[in-house]
Amino acid sequence: MAGLFVLVEGEENDYVDKGLRGGVFISKPPEAAPYAPGDNEIVGNTFFCCATGGMLCATGISGDRFEVRTLKGTAVIEGAGDHC
């Protein structure tokens, strides 16, 4: 997949990755994280909102309203909040 490639090691807050149109966004916890990624939020509320393309891969769970109004984006995440 051509385009932007972003790798973030750590947690992201609300509205990061909003309106993605292409490329790949990967979010993962730090290597020395003292917690289990699948039991903790790695991305905030309204993450991947309004995406019209691209891909998100996140190790962990998201806050509420994950992937709201997403048209064509693809997301792989371990869990989501109440209003996915």
Side-chain angles (χ1 to χ4, degrees), residues 10-63:
E11 297 84 15
E12 292 81 50
N13 209 345
D14 303 346
Y15 291 102
V16 175
D17 201 26
K18 180 181 179 192
L20 185 69
R21 293 185 181 182
V24 178
F25 190 101
I26 297 175
S27 177
K28 66 178 197 159
E31 293 292 329
Y35 53 83
D39 296 332
N40 291 279
E41 289 186 13
I42 189 79
V43 296
N45 296 314
T46 60
F47 201 84
F48 205 57
C49 172
C50 306
T52 58
M55 175 179 271
L56 163 72
C57 299
T59 304
I61 58 177
S62 75

mmCIF file of all heavy atoms in Angstrom, residues 10-63:
data_model
loop_
_atom_site.group_PDB
_atom_site.id
_atom_site.type_symbol
_atom_site.label_atom_id
_atom_site.label_comp_id
_atom_site.label_asym_id
_atom_site.label_seq_id
_atom_site.Cartn_x
_atom_site.Cartn_y
_atom_site.Cartn_z
ATOM 1 N N GLY A 10 3.367 3.977 21.946
ATOM 2 C CA GLY A 10 2.793 4.672 23.096
ATOM 3 C C GLY A 10 1.318 4.934 22.849
ATOM 4 O O GLY A 10 0.761 4.529 21.841
ATOM 5 N N GLU A 11 0.677 5.637 23.757
ATOM 6 C CA GLU A 11 -0.751 5.895 23.664
ATOM 7 C C GLU A 11 -1.023 7.185 22.885
ATOM 8 O O GLU A 11 -0.243 8.119 22.922
ATOM 9 C CB GLU A 11 -1.366 6.018 25.064
ATOM 10 C CG GLU A 11 -1.266 4.754 25.896
ATOM 11 C CD GLU A 11 0.071 4.618 26.610
ATOM 12 O OE1 GLU A 11 0.824 5.596 26.703
ATOM 13 O OE2 GLU A 11 0.369 3.502 27.050
ATOM 14 N N GLU A 12 -2.158 7.230 22.205
ATOM 15 C CA GLU A 12 -2.599 8.426 21.494
ATOM 16 C C GLU A 12 -3.912 8.908 22.100
ATOM 17 O O GLU A 12 -4.706 8.111 22.581
ATOM 18 C CB GLU A 12 -2.820 8.150 19.994
ATOM 19 C CG GLU A 12 -1.553 7.860 19.236
ATOM 20 C CD GLU A 12 -1.111 6.429 19.394
ATOM 21 O OE1 GLU A 12 -1.904 5.513 19.202
ATOM 22 O OE2 GLU A 12 0.063 6.244 19.738
ATOM 23 N N ASN A 13 -4.141 10.196 22.009
ATOM 24 C CA ASN A 13 -5.333 10.804 22.595
ATOM 25 C C ASN A 13 -6.463 10.881 21.565
ATOM 26 O O ASN A 13 -6.361 10.343 20.471
ATOM 27 C CB ASN A 13 -4.976 12.197 23.133
ATOM 28 C CG ASN A 13 -5.851 12.598 24.304
ATOM 29 O OD1 ASN A 13 -6.883 11.997 24.555
ATOM 30 N ND2 ASN A 13 -5.433 13.609 25.015
ATOM 31 N N ASP A 14 -7.515 11.601 21.904
ATOM 32 C CA ASP A 14 -8.695 11.740 21.049
ATOM 33 C C ASP A 14 -8.358 12.390 19.704
ATOM 34 O O ASP A 14 -7.488 13.242 19.616
ATOM 35 C CB ASP A 14 -9.752 12.588 21.747
ATOM 36 C CG ASP A 14 -10.157 12.013 23.095
ATOM 37 O OD1 ASP A 14 -9.832 10.858 23.359
ATOM 38 O OD2 ASP A 14 -10.800 12.729 23.876
ATOM 39 N N TYR A 15 -9.095 11.983 18.677
ATOM 40 C CA TYR A 15 -9.062 12.554 17.327
ATOM 41 C C TYR A 15 -7.759 12.349 16.554
ATOM 42 O O TYR A 15 -7.623 12.864 15.459
ATOM 43 C CB TYR A 15 -9.406 14.050 17.346
ATOM 44 C CG TYR A 15 -10.843 14.299 17.699
ATOM 45 C CD1 TYR A 15 -11.204 14.708 18.970
ATOM 46 C CD2 TYR A 15 -11.842 14.100 16.746
ATOM 47 C CE1 TYR A 15 -12.533 14.929 19.297
ATOM 48 C CE2 TYR A 15 -13.171 14.322 17.061
ATOM 49 C CZ TYR A 15 -13.504 14.737 18.335
ATOM 50 O OH TYR A 15 -14.817 14.950 18.660
ATOM 51 N N VAL A 16 -6.806 11.615 17.093
ATOM 52 C CA VAL A 16 -5.606 11.307 16.307
ATOM 53 C C VAL A 16 -6.044 10.394 15.171
ATOM 54 O O VAL A 16 -6.904 9.541 15.337
ATOM 55 C CB VAL A 16 -4.535 10.622 17.179
ATOM 56 C CG1 VAL A 16 -3.345 10.197 16.350
ATOM 57 C CG2 VAL A 16 -4.108 11.549 18.296
ATOM 58 N N ASP A 17 -5.469 10.550 14.021
ATOM 59 C CA ASP A 17 -5.769 9.724 12.850
ATOM 60 C C ASP A 17 -7.138 10.054 12.260
ATOM 61 O O ASP A 17 -7.675 9.313 11.472
ATOM 62 C CB ASP A 17 -5.673 8.241 13.214
ATOM 63 C CG ASP A 17 -5.476 7.344 12.013
ATOM 64 O OD1 ASP A 17 -4.942 7.820 11.009
ATOM 65 O OD2 ASP A 17 -5.857 6.165 12.094
ATOM 66 N N LYS A 18 -7.722 11.189 12.613
ATOM 67 C CA LYS A 18 -9.031 11.589 12.082
ATOM 68 C C LYS A 18 -8.910 11.918 10.601
ATOM 69 O O LYS A 18 -8.013 12.632 10.191
ATOM 70 C CB LYS A 18 -9.572 12.800 12.829
ATOM 71 C CG LYS A 18 -10.922 13.230 12.306
ATOM 72 C CD LYS A 18 -11.447 14.438 13.009
ATOM 73 C CE LYS A 18 -12.786 14.799 12.385
ATOM 74 N NZ LYS A 18 -13.250 16.091 12.783
ATOM 75 N N GLY A 19 -9.816 11.402 9.821
ATOM 76 C CA GLY A 19 -9.872 11.722 8.404
ATOM 77 C C GLY A 19 -8.788 11.083 7.559
ATOM 78 O O GLY A 19 -8.445 11.596 6.502
ATOM 79 N N LEU A 20 -8.253 9.950 7.977
ATOM 80 C CA LEU A 20 -7.214 9.266 7.204
ATOM 81 C C LEU A 20 -7.742 8.966 5.807
ATOM 82 O O LEU A 20 -8.862 8.493 5.651
ATOM 83 C CB LEU A 20 -6.812 7.961 7.912
ATOM 84 C CG LEU A 20 -5.652 7.193 7.302
ATOM 85 C CD1 LEU A 20 -4.353 7.979 7.489
ATOM 86 C CD2 LEU A 20 -5.525 5.831 7.952
ATOM 87 N N ARG A 21 -6.944 9.239 4.793
ATOM 88 C CA ARG A 21 -7.367 9.015 3.404
ATOM 89 C C ARG A 21 -6.570 7.912 2.721
ATOM 90 O O ARG A 21 -6.914 7.486 1.628
ATOM 91 C CB ARG A 21 -7.230 10.299 2.611
ATOM 92 C CG ARG A 21 -8.188 11.342 3.065
ATOM 93 C CD ARG A 21 -8.114 12.551 2.206
ATOM 94 N NE ARG A 21 -9.049 13.544 2.708
ATOM 95 C CZ ARG A 21 -9.245 14.699 2.154
ATOM 96 N NH1 ARG A 21 -8.576 15.027 1.075
ATOM 97 N NH2 ARG A 21 -10.108 15.542 2.662
ATOM 98 N N GLY A 22 -5.486 7.505 3.323
ATOM 99 C CA GLY A 22 -4.658 6.459 2.743
ATOM 100 C C GLY A 22 -3.459 6.207 3.637
ATOM 101 O O GLY A 22 -3.245 6.909 4.612
ATOM 102 N N GLY A 23 -2.688 5.206 3.308
ATOM 103 C CA GLY A 23 -1.513 4.897 4.100
ATOM 104 C C GLY A 23 -1.825 3.963 5.255
ATOM 105 O O GLY A 23 -2.912 3.396 5.354
ATOM 106 N N VAL A 24 -0.859 3.827 6.150
ATOM 107 C CA VAL A 24 -0.968 2.894 7.274
ATOM 108 C C VAL A 24 -0.589 3.609 8.563
ATOM 109 O O VAL A 24 0.410 4.317 8.610
ATOM 110 C CB VAL A 24 -0.034 1.676 7.061
ATOM 111 C CG1 VAL A 24 -0.112 0.723 8.238
ATOM 112 C CG2 VAL A 24 -0.379 0.956 5.780
ATOM 113 N N PHE A 25 -1.388 3.410 9.609
ATOM 114 C CA PHE A 25 -1.125 3.973 10.934
ATOM 115 C C PHE A 25 -1.066 2.800 11.905
ATOM 116 O O PHE A 25 -2.039 2.060 12.043
ATOM 117 C CB PHE A 25 -2.244 4.932 11.340
ATOM 118 C CG PHE A 25 -1.931 5.733 12.566
ATOM 119 C CD1 PHE A 25 -1.506 7.042 12.465
ATOM 120 C CD2 PHE A 25 -2.070 5.175 13.826
ATOM 121 C CE1 PHE A 25 -1.225 7.790 13.603
ATOM 122 C CE2 PHE A 25 -1.791 5.908 14.968
ATOM 123 C CZ PHE A 25 -1.360 7.222 14.848
ATOM 124 N N ILE A 26 0.074 2.625 12.567
ATOM 125 C CA ILE A 26 0.240 1.531 13.525
ATOM 126 C C ILE A 26 0.491 2.117 14.904
ATOM 127 O O ILE A 26 1.324 3.007 15.062
ATOM 128 C CB ILE A 26 1.401 0.606 13.125
ATOM 129 C CG1 ILE A 26 1.094 -0.041 11.776
ATOM 130 C CG2 ILE A 26 1.648 -0.454 14.194
ATOM 131 C CD1 ILE A 26 2.218 -0.873 11.217
ATOM 132 N N SER A 27 -0.244 1.627 15.884
ATOM 133 C CA SER A 27 -0.109 2.081 17.265
ATOM 134 C C SER A 27 0.163 0.871 18.141
ATOM 135 O O SER A 27 -0.595 -0.103 18.123
ATOM 136 C CB SER A 27 -1.402 2.766 17.708
ATOM 137 O OG SER A 27 -1.324 3.140 19.041
ATOM 138 N N LYS A 28 1.257 0.941 18.908
ATOM 139 C CA LYS A 28 1.588 -0.180 19.786
ATOM 140 C C LYS A 28 2.149 0.358 21.094
ATOM 141 O O LYS A 28 2.703 1.454 21.144
ATOM 142 C CB LYS A 28 2.577 -1.130 19.124
ATOM 143 C CG LYS A 28 3.933 -0.529 18.878
ATOM 144 C CD LYS A 28 4.852 -1.553 18.269
ATOM 145 C CE LYS A 28 6.289 -1.094 18.419
ATOM 146 N NZ LYS A 28 7.223 -2.167 18.316
ATOM 147 N N PRO A 29 2.003 -0.406 22.171
ATOM 148 C CA PRO A 29 2.563 0.039 23.449
ATOM 149 C C PRO A 29 4.084 -0.062 23.440
ATOM 150 O O PRO A 29 4.653 -0.800 22.632
ATOM 151 C CB PRO A 29 1.951 -0.920 24.470
ATOM 152 C CG PRO A 29 1.561 -2.120 23.696
ATOM 153 C CD PRO A 29 1.290 -1.671 22.298
ATOM 154 N N PRO A 30 4.745 0.663 24.328
ATOM 155 C CA PRO A 30 6.205 0.547 24.420
ATOM 156 C C PRO A 30 6.617 -0.883 24.766
ATOM 157 O O PRO A 30 5.871 -1.619 25.410
ATOM 158 C CB PRO A 30 6.567 1.497 25.564
ATOM 159 C CG PRO A 30 5.398 2.402 25.720
ATOM 160 C CD PRO A 30 4.202 1.635 25.266
ATOM 161 N N GLU A 31 7.793 -1.273 24.345
ATOM 162 C CA GLU A 31 8.304 -2.620 24.630
ATOM 163 C C GLU A 31 8.323 -2.923 26.121
ATOM 164 O O GLU A 31 8.044 -4.041 26.541
ATOM 165 C CB GLU A 31 9.706 -2.782 24.050
ATOM 166 C CG GLU A 31 9.758 -2.764 22.537
ATOM 167 C CD GLU A 31 9.102 -3.979 21.901
ATOM 168 O OE1 GLU A 31 9.122 -5.065 22.508
ATOM 169 O OE2 GLU A 31 8.559 -3.823 20.801
ATOM 170 N N ALA A 32 8.633 -1.939 26.947
ATOM 171 C CA ALA A 32 8.741 -2.138 28.396
ATOM 172 C C ALA A 32 7.438 -1.788 29.134
ATOM 173 O O ALA A 32 7.461 -1.538 30.336
ATOM 174 C CB ALA A 32 9.880 -1.290 28.947
ATOM 175 N N ALA A 33 6.327 -1.803 28.448
ATOM 176 C CA ALA A 33 5.050 -1.457 29.087
ATOM 177 C C ALA A 33 4.737 -2.431 30.220
ATOM 178 O O ALA A 33 4.808 -3.646 30.030
ATOM 179 C CB ALA A 33 3.925 -1.476 28.069
ATOM 180 N N PRO A 34 4.369 -1.918 31.401
ATOM 181 C CA PRO A 34 4.096 -2.780 32.546
ATOM 182 C C PRO A 34 2.663 -3.325 32.581
ATOM 183 O O PRO A 34 2.214 -3.824 33.588
ATOM 184 C CB PRO A 34 4.353 -1.856 33.737
ATOM 185 C CG PRO A 34 3.968 -0.518 33.225
ATOM 186 C CD PRO A 34 4.363 -0.509 31.778
ATOM 187 N N TYR A 35 1.947 -3.229 31.481
ATOM 188 C CA TYR A 35 0.547 -3.650 31.447
ATOM 189 C C TYR A 35 0.295 -4.562 30.254
ATOM 190 O O TYR A 35 1.070 -4.600 29.304
ATOM 191 C CB TYR A 35 -0.375 -2.426 31.373
ATOM 192 C CG TYR A 35 -0.046 -1.468 30.253
ATOM 193 C CD1 TYR A 35 -0.514 -1.691 28.962
ATOM 194 C CD2 TYR A 35 0.748 -0.356 30.473
ATOM 195 C CE1 TYR A 35 -0.210 -0.827 27.931
ATOM 196 C CE2 TYR A 35 1.065 0.512 29.454
ATOM 197 C CZ TYR A 35 0.576 0.266 28.178
ATOM 198 O OH TYR A 35 0.890 1.125 27.151
ATOM 199 N N ALA A 36 -0.816 -5.277 30.306
ATOM 200 C CA ALA A 36 -1.213 -6.144 29.197
ATOM 201 C C ALA A 36 -1.926 -5.290 28.146
ATOM 202 O O ALA A 36 -2.944 -4.674 28.449
ATOM 203 C CB ALA A 36 -2.143 -7.243 29.692
ATOM 204 N N PRO A 37 -1.425 -5.198 26.924
ATOM 205 C CA PRO A 37 -2.012 -4.329 25.912
ATOM 206 C C PRO A 37 -3.487 -4.598 25.637
ATOM 207 O O PRO A 37 -4.262 -3.673 25.435
ATOM 208 C CB PRO A 37 -1.176 -4.617 24.662
ATOM 209 C CG PRO A 37 0.105 -5.134 25.173
ATOM 210 C CD PRO A 37 -0.231 -5.868 26.433
ATOM 211 N N GLY A 38 -3.902 -5.851 25.642
ATOM 212 C CA GLY A 38 -5.288 -6.185 25.352
ATOM 213 C C GLY A 38 -6.276 -5.768 26.421
ATOM 214 O O GLY A 38 -7.479 -5.801 26.213
ATOM 215 N N ASP A 39 -5.788 -5.357 27.590
ATOM 216 C CA ASP A 39 -6.654 -4.942 28.687
ATOM 217 C C ASP A 39 -6.636 -3.431 28.916
ATOM 218 O O ASP A 39 -7.247 -2.944 29.858
ATOM 219 C CB ASP A 39 -6.211 -5.621 29.991
ATOM 220 C CG ASP A 39 -6.359 -7.126 29.934
ATOM 221 O OD1 ASP A 39 -7.241 -7.613 29.190
ATOM 222 O OD2 ASP A 39 -5.592 -7.827 30.616
ATOM 223 N N ASN A 40 -5.929 -2.680 28.080
ATOM 224 C CA ASN A 40 -5.770 -1.240 28.290
ATOM 225 C C ASN A 40 -5.986 -0.459 26.997
ATOM 226 O O ASN A 40 -5.721 -0.959 25.909
ATOM 227 C CB ASN A 40 -4.366 -0.942 28.819
ATOM 228 C CG ASN A 40 -4.192 -1.452 30.221
ATOM 229 O OD1 ASN A 40 -4.605 -0.830 31.170
ATOM 230 N ND2 ASN A 40 -3.585 -2.630 30.349
ATOM 231 N N GLU A 41 -6.446 0.786 27.156
ATOM 232 C CA GLU A 41 -6.664 1.644 25.998
ATOM 233 C C GLU A 41 -5.336 2.121 25.440
ATOM 234 O O GLU A 41 -4.480 2.602 26.159
ATOM 235 C CB GLU A 41 -7.525 2.850 26.373
ATOM 236 C CG GLU A 41 -8.959 2.485 26.633
ATOM 237 C CD GLU A 41 -9.841 3.701 26.864
ATOM 238 O OE1 GLU A 41 -9.401 4.831 26.592
ATOM 239 O OE2 GLU A 41 -10.965 3.504 27.308
ATOM 240 N N ILE A 42 -5.196 1.986 24.140
ATOM 241 C CA ILE A 42 -4.007 2.462 23.436
ATOM 242 C C ILE A 42 -4.345 3.712 22.631
ATOM 243 O O ILE A 42 -3.501 4.546 22.384
ATOM 244 C CB ILE A 42 -3.410 1.354 22.538
ATOM 245 C CG1 ILE A 42 -2.055 1.758 21.963
ATOM 246 C CG2 ILE A 42 -4.334 0.979 21.413
ATOM 247 C CD1 ILE A 42 -0.906 1.625 22.899
ATOM 248 N N VAL A 43 -5.598 3.847 22.209
ATOM 249 C CA VAL A 43 -6.042 5.023 21.458
ATOM 250 C C VAL A 43 -7.286 5.604 22.117
ATOM 251 O O VAL A 43 -8.077 4.898 22.723
ATOM 252 C CB VAL A 43 -6.317 4.681 19.975
ATOM 253 C CG1 VAL A 43 -5.038 4.242 19.286
ATOM 254 C CG2 VAL A 43 -7.368 3.614 19.822
ATOM 255 N N GLY A 44 -7.471 6.909 21.974
ATOM 256 C CA GLY A 44 -8.562 7.611 22.649
ATOM 257 C C GLY A 44 -9.893 7.543 21.921
ATOM 258 O O GLY A 44 -10.100 6.754 20.999
ATOM 259 N N ASN A 45 -10.792 8.417 22.339
ATOM 260 C CA ASN A 45 -12.134 8.500 21.747
ATOM 261 C C ASN A 45 -12.066 9.058 20.329
ATOM 262 O O ASN A 45 -11.162 9.807 19.986
ATOM 263 C CB ASN A 45 -13.018 9.402 22.599
ATOM 264 C CG ASN A 45 -13.236 8.835 23.970
ATOM 265 O OD1 ASN A 45 -13.520 7.660 24.111
ATOM 266 N ND2 ASN A 45 -13.075 9.650 24.985
ATOM 267 N N THR A 46 -13.047 8.712 19.533
ATOM 268 C CA THR A 46 -13.179 9.149 18.141
ATOM 269 C C THR A 46 -11.908 8.926 17.327
ATOM 270 O O THR A 46 -11.592 9.666 16.418
ATOM 271 C CB THR A 46 -13.617 10.630 18.038
ATOM 272 O OG1 THR A 46 -12.648 11.462 18.665
ATOM 273 C CG2 THR A 46 -14.964 10.849 18.647
ATOM 274 N N PHE A 47 -11.180 7.909 17.634
ATOM 275 C CA PHE A 47 -9.982 7.562 16.872
ATOM 276 C C PHE A 47 -10.411 6.932 15.563
ATOM 277 O O PHE A 47 -11.364 6.167 15.508
ATOM 278 C CB PHE A 47 -9.140 6.576 17.680
ATOM 279 C CG PHE A 47 -7.709 6.534 17.277
ATOM 280 C CD1 PHE A 47 -6.816 7.453 17.781
ATOM 281 C CD2 PHE A 47 -7.260 5.577 16.397
ATOM 282 C CE1 PHE A 47 -5.473 7.426 17.421
ATOM 283 C CE2 PHE A 47 -5.935 5.527 16.027
ATOM 284 C CZ PHE A 47 -5.039 6.456 16.538
ATOM 285 N N PHE A 48 -9.739 7.248 14.474
ATOM 286 C CA PHE A 48 -10.036 6.735 13.128
ATOM 287 C C PHE A 48 -11.400 7.225 12.647
ATOM 288 O O PHE A 48 -12.033 6.623 11.796
ATOM 289 C CB PHE A 48 -9.960 5.204 13.121
ATOM 290 C CG PHE A 48 -9.653 4.603 11.774
ATOM 291 C CD1 PHE A 48 -8.519 4.958 11.085
ATOM 292 C CD2 PHE A 48 -10.492 3.663 11.221
ATOM 293 C CE1 PHE A 48 -8.227 4.394 9.855
ATOM 294 C CE2 PHE A 48 -10.211 3.086 10.004
ATOM 295 C CZ PHE A 48 -9.077 3.454 9.309
ATOM 296 N N CYS A 49 -11.852 8.351 13.171
ATOM 297 C CA CYS A 49 -13.139 8.956 12.812
ATOM 298 C C CYS A 49 -13.078 9.533 11.395
ATOM 299 O O CYS A 49 -12.100 10.163 11.026
ATOM 300 C CB CYS A 49 -13.460 10.050 13.826
ATOM 301 S SG CYS A 49 -14.879 11.062 13.419
ATOM 302 N N CYS A 50 -14.112 9.319 10.613
ATOM 303 C CA CYS A 50 -14.270 9.919 9.284
ATOM 304 C C CYS A 50 -13.209 9.471 8.279
ATOM 305 O O CYS A 50 -12.944 10.174 7.304
ATOM 306 C CB CYS A 50 -14.288 11.436 9.372
ATOM 307 S SG CYS A 50 -15.519 12.078 10.517
ATOM 308 N N ALA A 51 -12.583 8.347 8.483
ATOM 309 C CA ALA A 51 -11.574 7.861 7.534
ATOM 310 C C ALA A 51 -12.242 7.480 6.215
ATOM 311 O O ALA A 51 -13.321 6.905 6.192
ATOM 312 C CB ALA A 51 -10.832 6.665 8.109
ATOM 313 N N THR A 52 -11.591 7.802 5.111
ATOM 314 C CA THR A 52 -12.099 7.437 3.789
ATOM 315 C C THR A 52 -11.140 6.494 3.071
ATOM 316 O O THR A 52 -11.279 6.247 1.892
ATOM 317 C CB THR A 52 -12.324 8.692 2.929
ATOM 318 O OG1 THR A 52 -11.098 9.404 2.807
ATOM 319 C CG2 THR A 52 -13.388 9.584 3.539
ATOM 320 N N GLY A 53 -10.182 5.978 3.790
ATOM 321 C CA GLY A 53 -9.231 5.032 3.218
ATOM 322 C C GLY A 53 -8.119 4.774 4.204
ATOM 323 O O GLY A 53 -8.084 5.336 5.284
ATOM 324 N N GLY A 54 -7.197 3.920 3.821
ATOM 325 C CA GLY A 54 -6.068 3.624 4.682
ATOM 326 C C GLY A 54 -6.343 2.492 5.647
ATOM 327 O O GLY A 54 -7.404 1.879 5.640
ATOM 328 N N MET A 55 -5.342 2.234 6.499
ATOM 329 C CA MET A 55 -5.447 1.132 7.446
ATOM 330 C C MET A 55 -4.888 1.536 8.802
ATOM 331 O O MET A 55 -3.872 2.220 8.881
ATOM 332 C CB MET A 55 -4.669 -0.074 6.929
ATOM 333 C CG MET A 55 -4.620 -1.230 7.901
ATOM 334 S SD MET A 55 -3.716 -2.638 7.245
ATOM 335 C CE MET A 55 -5.062 -3.463 6.445
ATOM 336 N N LEU A 56 -5.567 1.092 9.843
ATOM 337 C CA LEU A 56 -5.118 1.287 11.217
ATOM 338 C C LEU A 56 -4.920 -0.080 11.843
ATOM 339 O O LEU A 56 -5.791 -0.950 11.741
ATOM 340 C CB LEU A 56 -6.159 2.051 12.029
ATOM 341 C CG LEU A 56 -6.001 1.969 13.554
ATOM 342 C CD1 LEU A 56 -4.797 2.780 13.998
ATOM 343 C CD2 LEU A 56 -7.239 2.420 14.258
ATOM 344 N N CYS A 57 -3.789 -0.275 12.511
ATOM 345 C CA CYS A 57 -3.523 -1.480 13.287
ATOM 346 C C CYS A 57 -3.112 -1.029 14.678
ATOM 347 O O CYS A 57 -2.166 -0.253 14.811
ATOM 348 C CB CYS A 57 -2.405 -2.307 12.667
ATOM 349 S SG CYS A 57 -2.785 -2.886 11.015
ATOM 350 N N ALA A 58 -3.824 -1.466 15.714
ATOM 351 C CA ALA A 58 -3.520 -1.036 17.073
ATOM 352 C C ALA A 58 -3.500 -2.236 18.009
ATOM 353 O O ALA A 58 -4.404 -3.066 17.992
ATOM 354 C CB ALA A 58 -4.545 -0.019 17.556
ATOM 355 N N THR A 59 -2.459 -2.311 18.830
ATOM 356 C CA THR A 59 -2.341 -3.348 19.841
ATOM 357 C C THR A 59 -2.892 -2.783 21.141
ATOM 358 O O THR A 59 -2.252 -1.974 21.789
ATOM 359 C CB THR A 59 -0.861 -3.754 20.034
ATOM 360 O OG1 THR A 59 -0.342 -4.158 18.779
ATOM 361 C CG2 THR A 59 -0.736 -4.884 21.029
ATOM 362 N N GLY A 60 -4.105 -3.166 21.486
ATOM 363 C CA GLY A 60 -4.796 -2.634 22.660
ATOM 364 C C GLY A 60 -6.247 -2.349 22.294
ATOM 365 O O GLY A 60 -6.735 -2.786 21.263
ATOM 366 N N ILE A 61 -6.939 -1.600 23.148
ATOM 367 C CA ILE A 61 -8.339 -1.266 22.892
ATOM 368 C C ILE A 61 -8.479 0.245 22.729
ATOM 369 O O ILE A 61 -7.588 1.011 23.040
ATOM 370 C CB ILE A 61 -9.265 -1.800 24.007
ATOM 371 C CG1 ILE A 61 -8.866 -1.241 25.369
ATOM 372 C CG2 ILE A 61 -9.233 -3.311 24.044
ATOM 373 C CD1 ILE A 61 -9.791 -1.676 26.496
ATOM 374 N N SER A 62 -9.642 0.661 22.218
ATOM 375 C CA SER A 62 -9.889 2.086 21.996
ATOM 376 C C SER A 62 -10.936 2.600 22.978
ATOM 377 O O SER A 62 -11.644 1.822 23.611
ATOM 378 C CB SER A 62 -10.394 2.320 20.574
ATOM 379 O OG SER A 62 -11.743 1.911 20.466
ATOM 380 N N GLY A 63 -11.044 3.915 23.029
ATOM 381 C CA GLY A 63 -12.097 4.544 23.821
ATOM 382 C C GLY A 63 -13.432 4.446 23.090
ATOM 383 O O GLY A 63 -13.568 3.720 22.096
#
